[in-house]
Amino acid sequence: MYLFLDEIQNVRDFQRVVDSFFLRDNIDIYITGSNSYMLSGELATLLTGRYIQIEMLPFSFAEFVQLHGMDEGAERAYQRYIGTSSFPFVSSIMSDSGQIQDYLRSIYDTIILKDIIARKKVTDVMMLESVMRFLADNIGNPLSAKKISDTMASNGRHINVRTVESYISAFMESYIIYQAKRYEVKGKQYLKTLDKYYMADVGLRRAMLGGDGQADTGHILENVIYLELLRRGYRVYVGKVDNLEVDFAAMNEDGISYFQVAATARDQNTLERELKPLQKIADNYPKCILTLDMDPPADYEGIRRMNALDYLLSS
């Protein structure tokens, strides 16, 4: 027997009911939900050692292409991917841009209004949304709760650091925002300051901020690559090498891989800037620069450069 329970955390005392089903033989229980709150309390305690948590992400670029094809070429398919949304339902309304915007807005309203505000008992809704928009507008930029608090203060909106931290935690628990912490490559230690944040869907970001989704190409690509690394089972950090930064230090059981992400690296100065932090890393783990340049792959003394879309479409 298979038992599926969706958003069951909204039901009072659901934890004990779920626990009681474990007394029965020949039953598989699947509990689905849109946030991590259900495993942060009594249920996790009752089911310790008896459950597996599987985190889901929206469509990858490869899955998007598998569904829609790319007769117009990979570049055009990628523009459709970031210009619409990676949420699965959008694939059924691709021809109606207005309906896509309404759908994305409804997702945002559900997460912010029905989930975070109600659960966290937020009283200053405008400030909560201001912090959310600031994070969305600054994907890929090093941020701290204090920096966000100071920015709000400079705009005449006062919010303390602890409240910012609480809001960011709520966004992460609702899987609308993902955090990449920093990792000191040479010292092999995790750092506690200036994390980076990425959104679950760049289409949702566009719906929140406005625009056509084509601006800020480099950070959007960085967001897409970050999510792809998560899908491939990596734990993803921002690498720090002396005073330089590697976009992603991706770790799994096989070791660590380093990635630089840029919209283009055809300019020699840009290429040298992207290569420099990778050249400072003394280990022999893979190092790669991913760009949107439609150029043949290249190798710089063991550092690969390849097209990001080819990487996204590879298995």
Side-chain angles (χ1 to χ4, degrees):
M1 181 183 295
Y2 296 91
L3 176 63
F4 294 87
L5 303 171
D6 183 44
E7 302 290 356
I8 193 64
Q9 74 274 8
N10 295 318
V11 178
R12 190 181 64 184
D13 294 331
F14 80 94
Q15 301 96 331
R16 298 189 180 280
V17 175
V18 171
D19 185 49
S20 70
F21 284 115
F22 276 86
L23 299 175
R24 301 175 180 235
D25 295 327
N26 301 319
I27 184 170
D28 278 349
I29 304 172
Y30 296 82
I31 305 174
T32 59
S34 56
N35 59 58
S36 62
Y37 294 130
M38 69 172 67
L39 291 177
S40 62
E42 186 180 6
L43 181 63
T45 301
L46 290 172
L47 302 185
T48 298
R50 294 187 292 168
Y51 72 88
I52 298 173
Q53 182 176 352
I54 303 172
E55 294 188 2
M56 304 293 290
L57 286 164
F59 281 152
S60 67
F61 179 56
E63 290 168 330
F64 183 87
V65 166
Q66 183 179 2
L67 188 64
H68 296 287
M70 58 175 190
D71 295 338
E72 70 276 47
E75 289 179 282
R76 179 57 184 159
Y78 176 73
Q79 293 304 318
R80 290 177 63 202
Y81 177 67
I82 65 173
T84 52
S85 171
S86 58
F87 286 120
F89 179 73
V90 171
S91 295
S92 65
I93 53 174
M94 287 291 286
S95 60
D96 191 332
S97 59
Q99 193 173 354
I100 291 174
Q101 295 305 303
D102 290 343
Y103 173 68
L104 293 175
R105 187 68 202 183
S106 72
I107 290 178
Y108 174 77
D109 289 342
T110 298
I111 293 172
I112 298 295
L113 299 179
K114 294 184 181 179
D115 185 354
I116 295 175
I117 291 174
R119 189 171 297 278
K120 295 291 187 178
K121 297 180 173 57
V122 176
T123 55
D124 192 343
V125 177
M126 289 183 62
M127 181 58 77
L128 177 75
E129 292 195 278
S130 293
V131 174
M132 180 67 249
R133 283 195 296 271
F134 185 86
L135 290 171
D137 199 29
N138 286 274
I139 55 171
N141 290 328
L143 295 175
S144 67
K146 185 178 187 308
K147 181 176 181 180
I148 296 172
S149 175
D150 291 345
T151 301
M152 296 297 168
S154 68
N155 293 328
R157 303 290 308 281
H158 295 283
I159 179 173
N160 65 54
V161 172
R162 188 163 296 182
T163 301
V164 173
E165 291 173 344
S166 174
Y167 288 171
I168 291 175
S169 294
F171 298 143
M172 292 169 58
E173 289 168 349
S174 295
Y175 299 113
I176 189 174
I177 288 288
Y178 287 80
Q179 180 188 63
K181 302 189 76 65
R182 292 202 305 156
Y183 175 76
E184 171 57 60
V185 175
K186 290 185 177 180
K188 294 182 172 56
Q189 60 181 331
Y190 302 99
L191 305 176
K192 296 181 179 180
T193 58
L194 295 178
D195 306 319
K196 288 188 176 184
Y197 296 91
Y198 300 95
M199 290 202 65
D201 175 63
V202 294
L204 181 60
R205 174 182 183 264
R206 187 196 65 257
M208 289 170 50
L209 300 177
D212 61 3
Q214 309 305 312
D216 205 9
T217 306
H219 280 152
I220 289 175
L221 177 62
E222 194 175 316
N223 199 123
V224 171
I225 296 296
Y226 172 81
L227 294 176
E228 181 65 21
L229 293 173
L230 292 185
R231 289 187 187 92
R232 298 189 184 193
Y234 288 105
R235 303 182 306 278
V236 187
Y237 300 89
V238 177
K240 184 178 182 296
V241 188
D242 296 332
N243 61 336
L244 300 175
E245 181 180 282
V246 177
D247 288 328
F248 299 125
M251 304 178 190
N252 61 14
E253 63 276 5
D254 296 323
I256 184 168
S257 298
Y258 304 99
F259 296 88
Q260 290 285 73
V261 181
T264 179
R266 283 177 174 163
D267 177 76
Q268 187 62 30
N269 291 332
T270 302
L271 177 60
E272 290 176 0
R273 185 181 68 241
E274 299 297 330
L275 284 170
K276 191 172 182 179
L278 298 177
Q279 291 168 336
K280 281 181 167 286
I281 301 174
D283 64 41
N284 294 315
Y285 287 117
K287 302 171 183 69
C288 185
I289 299 174
L290 299 174
T291 77
L292 292 174
D293 298 328
M294 302 303 287
D295 299 331
D299 187 282
Y300 306 91
E301 298 181 344
I303 300 172
R304 292 186 303 148
R305 187 186 74 183
M306 67 179 296
N307 179 260
L309 304 188
D310 289 342
Y311 178 79
L312 291 169
L313 292 171
S314 66
S315 57

